[in-house]
Amino acid sequence: MKLTASDLQVAHGRTQVLFGVSLELEEGGSCCVLGRNGAGKTSLMNAIMGVLPTKAGRVLLDDREITSLSPWDRVRAGLGYAPQERSGFGGMSVLENLQVVLETRRDGRRSEIDEVLDLFPRLKPLLKRPATFLSGGQRQQLAIARALLTKPRLLLLDEPTEGIQPSIVAEIEEAILALRDRDGIGLLIAEQYVEMALRMAEDYVVLEAGNAVAAGRTADMDEAAAGRLLAI
């Protein structure tokens, strides 16, 4: 699925947070949106998903305009989203969180839950545990598993490594890269670490104060220059 975001302008109330940001992701491609905290990464992801309305600009999937669609209709069109807050349904068990997503699809199969649990085996012994009692890494794995049950062709991940221990980060990376390589799922990842971009994405965009200030192929990235843009 090809994604095109053109000249997106977004505001929270009277405060503008994105100033004409554009990016393009070819079908099956991978892109990392880099930036410090407050740079506009989450606002960009939410604008693409329709969680935040845009003041101006367009979002297209396979050249189909989706700018006016609701978030759920964008999910139906092929976008999957694991947001930064990883909230889910805290009072429900891990299994119930997965079941409620599967039940939104007419063609959902129970075996699909087993398939996503194979990607995140750490969740298997926790199926009866309320989601609110999971660790940060476990909640992140559950959030991605929930997104995968919508059968996306393009998966958006907002800060997937934030506050998570390195061993679980490695498990998440392994699962996501396996999906990309095996199923051809496109990836759009918001992150603040250059190392993550180099490992997981073919392209990158750097945001600063709501503006795209650098972009290109990760293979050609000037790590020192990118590091200066992301330095706190």
Side-chain angles (χ1 to χ4, degrees), residues 14-66:
R14 296 183 179 180
T15 304
Q16 188 154 344
V17 292
L18 291 182
F19 300 86
V21 174
S22 299
L23 65 83
E24 188 169 294
L25 183 62
E26 295 295 333
E27 182 170 359
S30 53
C31 179
C32 194
V33 180
L34 294 160
R36 290 173 285 192
N37 287 335
K41 303 186 301 298
T42 295
S43 294
L44 176 60
M45 303 291 268
N46 285 339
I48 290 171
M49 282 303 305
V51 177
L52 273 178
T54 56
K55 291 177 60 179
R58 306 170 69 204
V59 181
L60 297 91
L61 291 179
D62 291 336
D63 300 320
R64 172 195 174 194
E65 175 106 26
I66 65 165

Short mmCIF file of all heavy atoms in Angstrom, two decimals, residues 14-66:
data_model
loop_
_atom_site.label_atom_id
_atom_site.label_comp_id
_atom_site.label_asym_id
_atom_site.label_seq_id
_atom_site.Cartn_x
_atom_site.Cartn_y
_atom_site.Cartn_z
N ARG A 14 -5.60 26.54 19.01
CA ARG A 14 -4.99 27.66 18.28
C ARG A 14 -3.51 27.47 18.04
O ARG A 14 -2.87 28.31 17.40
CB ARG A 14 -5.23 28.96 19.05
CG ARG A 14 -6.70 29.35 19.18
CD ARG A 14 -6.84 30.68 19.90
NE ARG A 14 -8.24 31.09 20.01
CZ ARG A 14 -8.64 32.21 20.60
NH1 ARG A 14 -7.73 33.03 21.13
NH2 ARG A 14 -9.92 32.52 20.66
N THR A 15 -2.95 26.40 18.58
CA THR A 15 -1.51 26.18 18.47
C THR A 15 -1.21 25.23 17.31
O THR A 15 -1.58 24.05 17.34
CB THR A 15 -0.96 25.57 19.77
OG1 THR A 15 -1.27 26.43 20.87
CG2 THR A 15 0.56 25.40 19.68
N GLN A 16 -0.56 25.74 16.28
CA GLN A 16 -0.22 24.91 15.14
C GLN A 16 0.99 24.05 15.49
O GLN A 16 1.98 24.53 16.06
CB GLN A 16 0.08 25.76 13.91
CG GLN A 16 0.25 24.91 12.64
CD GLN A 16 -0.07 25.67 11.38
OE1 GLN A 16 -0.69 26.73 11.43
NE2 GLN A 16 0.34 25.14 10.24
N VAL A 17 0.91 22.75 15.13
CA VAL A 17 1.97 21.81 15.51
C VAL A 17 2.64 21.16 14.31
O VAL A 17 3.73 20.61 14.44
CB VAL A 17 1.43 20.72 16.45
CG1 VAL A 17 1.05 21.32 17.80
CG2 VAL A 17 0.23 19.99 15.84
N LEU A 18 2.03 21.21 13.15
CA LEU A 18 2.65 20.73 11.91
C LEU A 18 2.52 21.81 10.86
O LEU A 18 1.44 22.39 10.67
CB LEU A 18 2.00 19.44 11.40
CG LEU A 18 2.21 18.16 12.20
CD1 LEU A 18 1.52 16.99 11.51
CD2 LEU A 18 3.68 17.84 12.42
N PHE A 19 3.63 22.06 10.15
CA PHE A 19 3.68 23.15 9.19
C PHE A 19 4.07 22.62 7.80
O PHE A 19 5.22 22.68 7.39
CB PHE A 19 4.70 24.20 9.63
CG PHE A 19 4.41 24.82 10.98
CD1 PHE A 19 4.85 24.22 12.14
CD2 PHE A 19 3.67 25.99 11.07
CE1 PHE A 19 4.58 24.78 13.38
CE2 PHE A 19 3.39 26.57 12.30
CZ PHE A 19 3.85 25.96 13.46
N GLY A 20 3.08 22.03 7.11
CA GLY A 20 3.31 21.60 5.74
C GLY A 20 4.24 20.40 5.63
O GLY A 20 5.14 20.39 4.79
N VAL A 21 4.03 19.37 6.45
CA VAL A 21 4.88 18.17 6.42
C VAL A 21 4.39 17.22 5.33
O VAL A 21 3.20 16.95 5.20
CB VAL A 21 4.87 17.45 7.78
CG1 VAL A 21 5.63 16.13 7.71
CG2 VAL A 21 5.46 18.36 8.85
N SER A 22 5.35 16.70 4.56
CA SER A 22 5.04 15.75 3.49
C SER A 22 5.93 14.52 3.62
O SER A 22 7.08 14.63 4.05
CB SER A 22 5.25 16.38 2.10
OG SER A 22 4.41 17.50 1.90
N LEU A 23 5.40 13.38 3.24
CA LEU A 23 6.21 12.17 3.11
C LEU A 23 5.51 11.22 2.15
O LEU A 23 4.29 11.30 1.94
CB LEU A 23 6.49 11.50 4.46
CG LEU A 23 5.33 10.91 5.28
CD1 LEU A 23 4.94 9.51 4.82
CD2 LEU A 23 5.72 10.84 6.75
N GLU A 24 6.30 10.31 1.59
CA GLU A 24 5.75 9.30 0.67
C GLU A 24 6.38 7.96 0.99
O GLU A 24 7.59 7.86 1.19
CB GLU A 24 6.02 9.69 -0.78
CG GLU A 24 5.32 8.79 -1.79
CD GLU A 24 5.39 9.35 -3.20
OE1 GLU A 24 4.79 10.42 -3.44
OE2 GLU A 24 6.05 8.71 -4.05
N LEU A 25 5.54 6.95 1.06
CA LEU A 25 5.99 5.60 1.38
C LEU A 25 5.44 4.65 0.32
O LEU A 25 4.23 4.53 0.16
CB LEU A 25 5.49 5.20 2.78
CG LEU A 25 5.92 3.85 3.33
CD1 LEU A 25 7.43 3.78 3.48
CD2 LEU A 25 5.25 3.59 4.68
N GLU A 26 6.34 4.02 -0.41
CA GLU A 26 5.92 3.09 -1.45
C GLU A 26 5.38 1.80 -0.83
O GLU A 26 5.64 1.50 0.34
CB GLU A 26 7.09 2.77 -2.38
CG GLU A 26 7.60 3.95 -3.18
CD GLU A 26 6.57 4.49 -4.18
OE1 GLU A 26 5.72 3.68 -4.62
OE2 GLU A 26 6.64 5.68 -4.50
N GLU A 27 4.64 1.03 -1.61
CA GLU A 27 4.06 -0.21 -1.12
C GLU A 27 5.14 -1.13 -0.58
O GLU A 27 6.16 -1.38 -1.24
CB GLU A 27 3.28 -0.92 -2.22
CG GLU A 27 2.61 -2.19 -1.76
CD GLU A 27 1.65 -2.78 -2.79
OE1 GLU A 27 1.51 -2.17 -3.86
OE2 GLU A 27 1.07 -3.83 -2.50
N GLY A 28 4.94 -1.63 0.65
CA GLY A 28 5.91 -2.52 1.27
C GLY A 28 7.15 -1.83 1.79
O GLY A 28 8.06 -2.49 2.30
N GLY A 29 7.19 -0.51 1.71
CA GLY A 29 8.36 0.24 2.16
C GLY A 29 8.33 0.48 3.65
O GLY A 29 7.39 0.13 4.36
N SER A 30 9.41 1.10 4.15
CA SER A 30 9.52 1.39 5.58
C SER A 30 10.16 2.75 5.75
O SER A 30 11.15 3.08 5.10
CB SER A 30 10.33 0.32 6.29
OG SER A 30 11.58 0.12 5.66
N CYS A 31 9.58 3.54 6.65
CA CYS A 31 10.06 4.89 6.90
C CYS A 31 10.01 5.18 8.39
O CYS A 31 9.05 4.80 9.07
CB CYS A 31 9.21 5.92 6.14
SG CYS A 31 9.72 7.65 6.39
N CYS A 32 11.05 5.82 8.89
CA CYS A 32 11.10 6.21 10.30
C CYS A 32 11.01 7.73 10.39
O CYS A 32 11.79 8.44 9.73
CB CYS A 32 12.39 5.71 10.94
SG CYS A 32 12.37 5.79 12.74
N VAL A 33 10.06 8.21 11.18
CA VAL A 33 9.91 9.64 11.45
C VAL A 33 10.66 9.93 12.75
O VAL A 33 10.27 9.47 13.81
CB VAL A 33 8.43 10.04 11.58
CG1 VAL A 33 8.31 11.53 11.85
CG2 VAL A 33 7.66 9.65 10.33
N LEU A 34 11.75 10.67 12.62
CA LEU A 34 12.62 10.95 13.76
C LEU A 34 12.37 12.36 14.28
O LEU A 34 11.98 13.24 13.52
CB LEU A 34 14.09 10.82 13.35
CG LEU A 34 14.55 9.41 12.97
CD1 LEU A 34 15.82 9.48 12.13
CD2 LEU A 34 14.78 8.57 14.21
N GLY A 35 12.63 12.55 15.56
CA GLY A 35 12.48 13.88 16.12
C GLY A 35 12.51 13.82 17.64
O GLY A 35 12.20 12.79 18.24
N ARG A 36 12.89 14.93 18.23
CA ARG A 36 12.89 15.01 19.69
C ARG A 36 11.45 15.03 20.22
O ARG A 36 10.50 15.20 19.45
CB ARG A 36 13.62 16.28 20.14
CG ARG A 36 15.10 16.24 19.91
CD ARG A 36 15.77 17.56 20.21
NE ARG A 36 15.53 18.55 19.16
CZ ARG A 36 16.17 19.70 19.07
NH1 ARG A 36 17.08 20.02 19.97
NH2 ARG A 36 15.89 20.55 18.10
N ASN A 37 11.29 14.86 21.52
CA ASN A 37 9.97 15.00 22.13
C ASN A 37 9.41 16.37 21.81
O ASN A 37 10.09 17.39 21.95
CB ASN A 37 10.08 14.83 23.65
CG ASN A 37 10.33 13.39 24.06
OD1 ASN A 37 10.00 12.46 23.33
ND2 ASN A 37 10.94 13.20 25.22
N GLY A 38 8.15 16.40 21.34
CA GLY A 38 7.51 17.65 21.00
C GLY A 38 7.77 18.13 19.59
O GLY A 38 7.29 19.20 19.20
N ALA A 39 8.48 17.32 18.79
CA ALA A 39 8.81 17.75 17.42
C ALA A 39 7.62 17.65 16.48
O ALA A 39 7.61 18.27 15.42
CB ALA A 39 9.97 16.93 16.87
N GLY A 40 6.60 16.84 16.85
CA GLY A 40 5.43 16.69 16.00
C GLY A 40 5.22 15.29 15.48
O GLY A 40 4.34 15.06 14.65
N LYS A 41 6.00 14.32 15.97
CA LYS A 41 5.89 12.95 15.46
C LYS A 41 4.51 12.36 15.70
O LYS A 41 3.87 11.83 14.79
CB LYS A 41 6.96 12.05 16.11
CG LYS A 41 8.39 12.52 15.91
CD LYS A 41 9.39 11.52 16.44
CE LYS A 41 9.25 11.19 17.91
NZ LYS A 41 9.46 12.39 18.78
N THR A 42 4.03 12.44 16.94
CA THR A 42 2.71 11.87 17.26
C THR A 42 1.60 12.61 16.53
O THR A 42 0.64 12.00 16.05
CB THR A 42 2.48 11.90 18.78
OG1 THR A 42 3.43 11.04 19.42
CG2 THR A 42 1.07 11.45 19.13
N SER A 43 1.73 13.92 16.40
CA SER A 43 0.72 14.69 15.67
C SER A 43 0.66 14.25 14.21
O SER A 43 -0.43 14.13 13.62
CB SER A 43 1.04 16.19 15.74
OG SER A 43 0.92 16.66 17.07
N LEU A 44 1.82 13.96 13.62
CA LEU A 44 1.84 13.48 12.24
C LEU A 44 1.16 12.11 12.13
O LEU A 44 0.33 11.89 11.23
CB LEU A 44 3.28 13.40 11.74
CG LEU A 44 3.47 12.82 10.34
CD1 LEU A 44 2.74 13.65 9.29
CD2 LEU A 44 4.95 12.71 9.99
N MET A 45 1.48 11.21 13.04
CA MET A 45 0.87 9.89 12.99
C MET A 45 -0.65 9.98 13.18
O MET A 45 -1.42 9.33 12.47
CB MET A 45 1.48 9.00 14.08
CG MET A 45 2.98 8.85 14.00
SD MET A 45 3.55 7.89 12.57
CE MET A 45 3.60 6.25 13.28
N ASN A 46 -1.08 10.82 14.13
CA ASN A 46 -2.51 10.96 14.38
C ASN A 46 -3.23 11.63 13.22
O ASN A 46 -4.41 11.34 12.94
CB ASN A 46 -2.74 11.77 15.67
CG ASN A 46 -2.46 10.95 16.92
OD1 ASN A 46 -2.47 9.72 16.89
ND2 ASN A 46 -2.21 11.62 18.03
N ALA A 47 -2.55 12.54 12.53
CA ALA A 47 -3.15 13.17 11.35
C ALA A 47 -3.32 12.16 10.23
O ALA A 47 -4.36 12.13 9.53
CB ALA A 47 -2.30 14.34 10.89
N ILE A 48 -2.33 11.31 10.03
CA ILE A 48 -2.43 10.28 8.99
C ILE A 48 -3.55 9.30 9.31
O ILE A 48 -4.28 8.85 8.42
CB ILE A 48 -1.08 9.56 8.83
CG1 ILE A 48 -0.05 10.52 8.20
CG2 ILE A 48 -1.22 8.31 7.96
CD1 ILE A 48 1.37 9.99 8.18
N MET A 49 -3.74 9.00 10.61
CA MET A 49 -4.79 8.06 11.02
C MET A 49 -6.16 8.72 11.11
O MET A 49 -7.17 8.02 11.28
CB MET A 49 -4.44 7.44 12.37
CG MET A 49 -3.40 6.34 12.30
SD MET A 49 -3.83 4.96 11.22
CE MET A 49 -5.42 4.43 11.83
N GLY A 50 -6.23 10.05 11.04
CA GLY A 50 -7.51 10.73 11.16
C GLY A 50 -7.92 11.00 12.58
O GLY A 50 -9.05 11.46 12.83
N VAL A 51 -7.03 10.74 13.55
CA VAL A 51 -7.33 11.04 14.96
C VAL A 51 -7.31 12.55 15.18
O VAL A 51 -8.08 13.08 15.98
CB VAL A 51 -6.31 10.34 15.87
CG1 VAL A 51 -6.55 10.69 17.34
CG2 VAL A 51 -6.37 8.82 15.68
N LEU A 52 -6.42 13.24 14.48
CA LEU A 52 -6.36 14.70 14.50
C LEU A 52 -6.81 15.23 13.15
O LEU A 52 -6.33 14.76 12.12
CB LEU A 52 -4.92 15.19 14.76
CG LEU A 52 -4.45 15.35 16.20
CD1 LEU A 52 -2.99 15.80 16.19
CD2 LEU A 52 -5.31 16.34 16.96
N PRO A 53 -7.70 16.21 13.11
CA PRO A 53 -8.09 16.80 11.83
C PRO A 53 -6.96 17.67 11.28
O PRO A 53 -6.14 18.22 12.03
CB PRO A 53 -9.31 17.65 12.19
CG PRO A 53 -9.12 18.00 13.63
CD PRO A 53 -8.43 16.81 14.25
N THR A 54 -6.91 17.79 9.98
CA THR A 54 -5.91 18.62 9.34
C THR A 54 -6.52 19.97 8.94
O THR A 54 -7.67 20.04 8.52
CB THR A 54 -5.36 17.93 8.08
OG1 THR A 54 -6.45 17.63 7.19
CG2 THR A 54 -4.65 16.64 8.43
N LYS A 55 -5.72 21.02 9.12
CA LYS A 55 -6.12 22.35 8.64
C LYS A 55 -5.97 22.43 7.13
O LYS A 55 -6.72 23.13 6.44
CB LYS A 55 -5.25 23.42 9.29
CG LYS A 55 -5.47 23.61 10.78
CD LYS A 55 -4.51 24.65 11.33
CE LYS A 55 -4.69 26.01 10.64
NZ LYS A 55 -3.76 27.02 11.21
N ALA A 56 -4.95 21.76 6.62
CA ALA A 56 -4.67 21.76 5.19
C ALA A 56 -3.85 20.53 4.87
O ALA A 56 -3.27 19.89 5.76
CB ALA A 56 -3.93 23.03 4.78
N GLY A 57 -3.78 20.18 3.59
CA GLY A 57 -3.01 19.03 3.16
C GLY A 57 -3.89 17.85 2.82
O GLY A 57 -5.11 17.88 3.02
N ARG A 58 -3.25 16.79 2.33
CA ARG A 58 -3.99 15.61 1.87
C ARG A 58 -3.28 14.34 2.33
O ARG A 58 -2.05 14.31 2.46
CB ARG A 58 -4.08 15.60 0.34
CG ARG A 58 -4.66 16.85 -0.29
CD ARG A 58 -4.48 16.81 -1.79
NE ARG A 58 -5.30 15.81 -2.44
CZ ARG A 58 -5.02 15.26 -3.63
NH1 ARG A 58 -3.91 15.60 -4.27
NH2 ARG A 58 -5.83 14.37 -4.17
N VAL A 59 -4.07 13.29 2.54
CA VAL A 59 -3.55 11.95 2.81
C VAL A 59 -4.16 11.02 1.77
O VAL A 59 -5.39 10.99 1.60
CB VAL A 59 -3.89 11.47 4.22
CG1 VAL A 59 -3.31 10.07 4.47
CG2 VAL A 59 -3.37 12.44 5.27
N LEU A 60 -3.30 10.26 1.09
CA LEU A 60 -3.77 9.33 0.06
C LEU A 60 -3.21 7.94 0.32
O LEU A 60 -2.06 7.79 0.75
CB LEU A 60 -3.34 9.78 -1.34
CG LEU A 60 -3.88 11.11 -1.86
CD1 LEU A 60 -2.95 12.26 -1.50
CD2 LEU A 60 -4.07 11.06 -3.37
N LEU A 61 -4.03 6.93 0.04
CA LEU A 61 -3.60 5.54 0.05
C LEU A 61 -3.82 4.99 -1.35
O LEU A 61 -4.95 5.00 -1.85
CB LEU A 61 -4.40 4.72 1.05
CG LEU A 61 -4.18 5.00 2.53
CD1 LEU A 61 -5.07 4.11 3.38
CD2 LEU A 61 -2.72 4.81 2.92
N ASP A 62 -2.73 4.54 -1.97
CA ASP A 62 -2.83 4.05 -3.35
C ASP A 62 -3.55 5.06 -4.24
O ASP A 62 -4.43 4.70 -5.04
CB ASP A 62 -3.55 2.70 -3.41
CG ASP A 62 -2.71 1.58 -2.79
OD1 ASP A 62 -1.48 1.72 -2.74
OD2 ASP A 62 -3.30 0.57 -2.36
N ASP A 63 -3.23 6.33 -4.06
CA ASP A 63 -3.79 7.44 -4.84
C ASP A 63 -5.28 7.69 -4.57
O ASP A 63 -5.92 8.47 -5.27
CB ASP A 63 -3.58 7.22 -6.35
CG ASP A 63 -2.09 7.12 -6.70
OD1 ASP A 63 -1.30 7.89 -6.12
OD2 ASP A 63 -1.74 6.28 -7.54
N ARG A 64 -5.81 7.05 -3.53
CA ARG A 64 -7.20 7.30 -3.11
C ARG A 64 -7.16 8.31 -1.96
O ARG A 64 -6.48 8.11 -0.97
CB ARG A 64 -7.86 6.01 -2.64
CG ARG A 64 -9.24 6.22 -2.01
CD ARG A 64 -9.67 5.00 -1.24
NE ARG A 64 -10.92 5.22 -0.52
CZ ARG A 64 -11.38 4.43 0.44
NH1 ARG A 64 -10.70 3.34 0.78
NH2 ARG A 64 -12.51 4.70 1.05
N GLU A 65 -7.92 9.38 -2.10
CA GLU A 65 -7.97 10.41 -1.06
C GLU A 65 -8.72 9.88 0.16
O GLU A 65 -9.85 9.41 0.07
CB GLU A 65 -8.68 11.65 -1.60
CG GLU A 65 -8.89 12.73 -0.56
CD GLU A 65 -7.95 13.91 -0.74
OE1 GLU A 65 -7.51 14.14 -1.88
OE2 GLU A 65 -7.68 14.61 0.24
N ILE A 66 -8.06 9.95 1.33
CA ILE A 66 -8.71 9.50 2.57
C ILE A 66 -8.74 10.62 3.62
O ILE A 66 -9.08 10.36 4.77
CB ILE A 66 -8.01 8.25 3.15
CG1 ILE A 66 -6.58 8.59 3.60
CG2 ILE A 66 -8.03 7.10 2.16
CD1 ILE A 66 -5.98 7.53 4.50
#
